[in-house]
């Protein structure tokens, strides 16, 4: 039984909502059809607040707060869309594009990419920052999957799903800041990884074309993510 | 610009309007003001081979289709065939037929563009007509019927590409192992229903063109009219093909010099001539050496090498075509005529392929991993033989790529044709627009796509420069 005290009421964009105390601003927004951009967040994985795309304004706080990892509070007044927020979001997205090499027209994820979709949604027609054009590899050593670092946005979904859901913890990060790379095991070729079970969860949660199944041609890498909430729910029921 | 009377001079045309790509022509004049030498410079860099390194081979078809916005489908096909070879698969029969139709649609639309939009202004309005009017709209004013037909044909080709490939400019439907989706009944019927109209247009245009060819005697004798070899792929029975076959080479007398050559061994018989003034990879037939090994590819070459088309009307036209000359047909002016016959063939052949019930088969893709570390794919692009050659590592990542494209095959012949036409029409004392247009027109006869021959994306740009014996540029022609 849910106790009354666990229900919070709050305002998002001047509309009144109530929510469970363990829900985030993003959860409430999502349930009520309010669009907040996000990319590192994925339902079923723990929130990390890494991409900062979901920043919102909360009355009384002079910091912007990530909607994906901020729990609702009683009396909260949230604003999801302002000039300033839109500007930040666009800058963040543009920077994501400049950090690596995104050539959508030849990408396996073209048309099904969360990064691309967000860019379209936020009306990004060109990028105002200098591209870095890093020279990054594709690791195609795995039998069935490849990782193309040129399209990785370091969202850590692969790291989390592999650790939290599959329990293999094959993926991790190496290096700092902009130099970071996702790695398998101790930066060994994916194909020789001892821990990878080949389940493919990382491939399907990856928001971009960074992780993909081999043999897919342009625009053919459709990702299925519905399995995640079910898996988490089933595990909770069994534990 | 002032003339300097005693020196050798050079003419530069920039841009050669109405061709796709980026290039520059230099005409070197001797002390008497006669054209002594001609050079076609292609000024952009190559880069695609480098782009490919480390990429998954499955990305190649789409990447390669982007080399050239003019015949992406041909690159897609040659590239996918190289990938089929890397996977060591034989693709399903329906997939092969669908790729054929796709390729024919590309040839049709590309030929229509070349003939009607780019070259027909010269035939209808005249080589010396006002350049401000010498374009497809000028044609529309003069002969609305012809302009309309050209636009219809091209549109038809593009619509097929769109129907099959989904996106007009860079379709991703052709994939390693076949095609990504089968043909729907609705799409088949939509193409079929338009074929009779296209057939009529193709026939009418041919009749009209044969009737006016007489007016261009001077151009016929000077537009790249010299002996060379001719190269292309033919079927095992010697029939013309755009999709799959072995290389055949025929000499100026019309005799077969070599046949049944495996395209994968192109390195054994094609040499590369590196000219200091251009980035274009120009090739010649090794056993004959340079310059005797100069050859031409494309519509004229295909009609010279193939024994037959294998469709009724095109075969009749081919027989008539060979009456122009008992040997091989030598003047590059006749590329236009050959192109029109090929348009007719495309329509007839599409009918054959679409009438075959197998075309609707759902089995259109072979799935396989890379099974071979090297693969070569060949196809006849509208402009001639196109070869893609890839090497991959054990994981299917690209290690190396090479490409030979039609404009490269034709590089040496184009250069020589420019010299011939310039000698005939260009005189240093009088720089007339009409003679420069003829220099451009000879290039247009080959319909080169210079952007892809240098493997960089670029728009049409060409300049003609007049250079004196001391190297001074004394005149230049650039059009807006
Ligand atoms: S990952 Fe997304 S944004 Fe990046 S190239 Fe692929 S489709 Fe474009
Ligand atoms: S590989 Fe994909 S899921 Fe993993 S961090 Fe990069 S973008 Fe995110
Ligand atoms: S979705 Fe909230 S920080 Fe990435």
């Amino acid at each position: 039984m849910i106790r009354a005290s666990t229900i919070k009421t709050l305002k998002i964009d001047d509309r009144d909502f109530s929510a469970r105390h363990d829900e985030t601003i993003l959860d409430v927004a999502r349930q009520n059809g309010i669009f907040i951009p996000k990319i590192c967040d994925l339902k079923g994985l723990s929130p990390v607040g890494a991409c900062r795309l979901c920043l919102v304004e909360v009355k009384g706080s002079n910091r912007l707060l990530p909607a994906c990892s901020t729990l609702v509070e009683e009396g909260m007044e949230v604003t999801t869309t302002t000039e300033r927020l839109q500007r930040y979001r666009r800058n963040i997205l543009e920077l994501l594009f400049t950090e690596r090499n995104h050539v959508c027209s030849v990408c396996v994820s073209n048309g099904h990419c969360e990064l691309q979709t967000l860019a379209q949604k936020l009306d990004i027609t060109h990028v105002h920052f200098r591209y870095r054009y890093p020279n990054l590899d594709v690791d195609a050593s795995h039998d069935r999957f490849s990782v193309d670092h040129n399209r990785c946005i370091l969202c850590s979904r692969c790291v989390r799903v592999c650790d939290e859901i599959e329990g293999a913890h094959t993926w991790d990060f190496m290096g700092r800041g902009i130099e970071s790379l996702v790695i398998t095991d101790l930066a060994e070729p994916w194909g020789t990884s001892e821990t990878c079970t080949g389940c493919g969860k990382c491939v399907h949660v990856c928001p971009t074309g960074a992780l993909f199944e081999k043999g897919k041609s342009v625009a053919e890498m459709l990702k299925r993510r519905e399995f995640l909430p079910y898996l988490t729910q089933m595990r909770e029921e069994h534990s | 610009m002032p003339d300097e009377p005693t020196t050798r001079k050079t003419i530069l045309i920039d841009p050669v309007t109405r061709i796709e790509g980026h290039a520059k022509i230099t005409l070197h004049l001797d002390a008497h003001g006669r054209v002594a030498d001609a050079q076609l410079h292609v000024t952009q860099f190559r880069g695609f081979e480098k782009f490919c390194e480390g990429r998954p081979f499955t990305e190649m078809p789409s990447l390669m289709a982007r080399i050239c916005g003019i015949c992406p489908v041909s690159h897609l096909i040659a590239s996918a065939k190289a990938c089929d070879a890397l996977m060591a698969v034989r693709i399903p029969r329906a997939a092969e037929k669908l790729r054929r139709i796709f390729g024919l649609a590309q040839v049709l639309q590309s030929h229509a563009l070349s003939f009607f939009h780019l070259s027909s202004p010269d035939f209808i309005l005249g080589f010396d007509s006002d350049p401000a009017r010498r374009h497809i709209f000028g044609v529309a004013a003069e002969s609305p019927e012809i302009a309309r037909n050209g636009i219809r044909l091209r549109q038809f080709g593009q619509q097929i590409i769109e129907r099959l490939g989904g996106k007009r400019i860079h379709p991703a439907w052709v994939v390693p192992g076949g095609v990504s989706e089968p043909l729907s009944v609705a799409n088949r019927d939509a193409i079929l229903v338009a074929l009779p109209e296209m057939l009529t247009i193709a026939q009418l245009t041919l009749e009209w063109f044969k009737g006016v060819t007489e007016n261009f005697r001077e151009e016929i004798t000077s537009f790249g009219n010299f002996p060379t070899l001719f190269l292309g792929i033919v079927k095992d029975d010697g029939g013309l093909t755009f999709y799959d076959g072995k290389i055949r080479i025929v000499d100026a007398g019309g005799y077969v010099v070599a046949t049944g050559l495996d395209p994968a061994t192109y390195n054994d018989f094609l040499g590369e001539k590196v000219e200091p003034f251009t980035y274009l990879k120009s090739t010649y037939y090794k056993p004959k050496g340079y310059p005797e090994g100069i050859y031409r590819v494309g519509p004229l070459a295909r009609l010279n090498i193939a024994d037959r088309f294998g469709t009724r009307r095109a075969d009749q036209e081919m027989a008539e075509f060979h009456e122009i000359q008992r040997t091989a047909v030598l003047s590059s002016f006749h590329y236009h005529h050959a192109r029109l016959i090929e348009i007719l063939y495309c329509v007839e052949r599409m009918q054959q392929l679409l009438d075959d019930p197998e075309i609707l088969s759902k089995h259109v893709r072979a799935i396989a991993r890379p099974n071979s570390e090297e693969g070569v794919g060949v196809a006849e692009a509208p402009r001639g033989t196109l070869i893609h050659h890839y090497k991959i590592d054990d994981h299917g990542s690209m290690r190396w790529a090479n490409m030979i494209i039609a404009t490269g095959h034709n590089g040496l012949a184009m250069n020589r044709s420019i010299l011939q036409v310039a000698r005939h029409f260009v005189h240093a004392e009088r720089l007339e627009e009409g003679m420069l247009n003829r220099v451009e027109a000879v290039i247009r006869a080959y319909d080169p796509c210079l952007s892809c021959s240098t493997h960089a994306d670029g728009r049409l740009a060409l300049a003609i420069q007049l250079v004196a014996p001391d190297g001074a540029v004394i005149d230049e022609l650039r059009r807006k």
Side-chain angles (χ1 to χ4, degrees), chain A residues 105-108 110 136 138 140-144 146 148 150-151 212 214-218 220, chain B residues 54-56 58-59 61-63 66 167 172 174-176 180 365 368-369 393-397:
Chain A
S105 55
V106 300
C107 179
V108 285
N110 191 9
L136 297 173
V138 180
S141 60
H142 193 281
D143 210 26
R144 288 160 47 219
S146 296
D148 183 352
N150 295 289
R151 301 173 185 146
F212 59 96
K214 282 183 153 179
K216 293 285 187 212
S217 274
V218 175
E220 288 192 322
Chain B
R55 304 303 310 166
T58 41
E59 244 174 45
S62 299
L63 196 58
R66 273 170 183 73
K167 237 188 331 165
V174 177
V175 294
S180 59
R365 187 173 191 172
R369 300 165 184 233
D393 67 14
D394 290 347
H395 306 310
S397 302

Side-chain angles (χ1 to χ4, degrees), chain B residues 147-414:
Chain B
R148 203 165 38 232
N149 285 346
I151 290 165
R152 268 300 283 143
L153 262 183
R154 171 142 194 259
Q155 205 179 40
F156 171 69
Q158 282 176 322
Q159 278 166 355
I160 297 179
I161 294 171
E162 206 169 353
R163 274 181 193 288
L164 301 177
K167 237 188 331 165
R168 204 180 305 173
I169 303 296
H170 293 302
W173 175 63
V174 177
V175 294
V179 296
S180 59
E181 259 175 84
L183 178 67
S184 69
V185 176
N187 275 341
R188 180 196 60 181
D189 294 349
I191 302 172
L192 274 173
V193 82
L195 284 177
E197 185 200 345
M198 298 307 138
L199 193 66
T200 310
I201 292 180
Q203 284 175 304
L204 283 176
T205 312
L206 250 170
E207 284 316 313
W208 166 76
F209 186 70
K210 286 189 287 188
V212 300
T213 316
E214 269 304 303
N215 309 339
F216 302 103
R217 284 277 141 238
E218 210 184 344
E219 283 76 17
I220 291 173
T221 47
S222 59
F223 271 33
N225 193 353
F226 45 71
T228 60
L229 304 173
F230 295 93
L231 178 147
I233 57 172
V234 289
K235 291 188 219 158
D236 290 343
D237 68 359
L240 187 137
T241 176
F242 284 97
Y243 182 75
D244 203 13
K246 295 265 164 54
I247 287 180
R248 177 183 277 188
I249 297 167
V250 160
D251 67 15
Y255 297 104
V256 174
V257 172
T259 195
L261 298 173
D262 182 355
T265 63
Y266 68 91
N267 252 331
D268 297 343
F269 56 88
L270 295 186
E272 211 178 285
K273 176 96 174 97
V274 182
E275 307 269 23
F277 54 80
T278 180
Y279 287 103
L280 190 69
K281 268 192 217 174
S282 296
T283 44
Y284 63 93
Y285 180 53
K286 259 192 209 165
K288 295 257 184 217
Y290 178 81
E292 281 68 35
I294 291 188
Y295 61 87
R296 284 176 267 183
V297 298
L300 179 67
R302 288 189 287 255
L303 267 93
N304 279 329
I305 60 158
D307 300 334
R308 71 189 68 79
F309 276 99
T311 60
R312 188 171 60 85
R313 294 176 185 84
D315 276 337
Q316 282 166 3
E317 292 293 338
M318 185 186 231
E320 214 180 299
F321 184 75
H322 284 299
E323 281 166 23
I324 296 175
Q325 213 163 353
R326 303 189 76 90
T327 57
V329 176
L330 294 183
S331 172
S332 288
F333 188 84
H334 295 305
Y335 266 99
H336 299 299
H337 189 169
R339 213 164 267 136
L340 290 177
I341 304 178
E342 287 191 339
I343 290 182
L344 180 63
Y345 166 76
C346 288
V347 178
E348 286 188 292
R349 183 76 181 117
M350 278 187 203
Q351 182 84 46
Q352 289 179 344
L353 288 161
L354 289 165
D355 282 343
D356 178 350
E358 191 179 39
I359 202 72
L360 295 173
S361 164
K362 301 283 176 260
H363 298 287
V364 292
R365 187 173 191 172
I367 306 284
R369 300 165 184 233
N371 291 302
S372 166
E373 60 184 27
E374 194 167 347
V376 174
V378 66
E380 283 290 326
R383 297 157 180 82
T385 313
L386 175 63
I387 302 172
H388 281 226
H389 183 189
Y390 306 153
K391 292 182 188 170
I392 51 172
D393 67 14
D394 290 347
H395 306 310
S397 302
M398 293 289 295
R399 283 199 296 119
W400 180 89
N402 187 31
M403 252 186 303
I404 301 191
I405 58 107
T407 304
H409 293 290
N410 277 338
L412 298 171
M414 270 169 44

Side-chain angles (χ1 to χ4, degrees), chain A residues 120-137:
Chain A
Q120 284 160 351
K121 230 171 162 155
L122 298 191
D123 275 335
I124 294 182
T125 49
H126 49 278
V127 168
H128 300 85
F129 305 101
R130 277 250 301 275
Y131 283 88
R132 290 184 71 241
Y133 299 118
N135 194 357
L136 297 173
D137 282 338

Side-chain angles (χ1 to χ4, degrees), chain A residues 176-188:
Chain A
R176 330 192 91 223
I178 211 163
E179 304 296 336
S180 303
L181 286 180
V182 285
I183 52 168
T184 40
D185 288 355
L186 300 166
E188 288 142 303

Side-chain angles (χ1 to χ4, degrees), chain B residues 18 121-134 215-216 218-219 425 430 432-438 441 444 479:
Chain B
R18 296 179 277 150
D122 293 333
F123 311 140
I124 289 168
L125 306 164
F127 284 93
D128 298 300
S129 62
D130 178 6
R133 261 190 87 228
R134 207 173 51 217
N215 309 339
F216 302 103
E218 210 184 344
E219 283 76 17
F425 288 101
R430 304 187 340 269
E432 279 169 15
E433 204 283 328
M435 64 197 195
L436 295 170
N437 185 40
R438 283 181 177 81
R444 282 200 294 274
R479 293 209 186 91

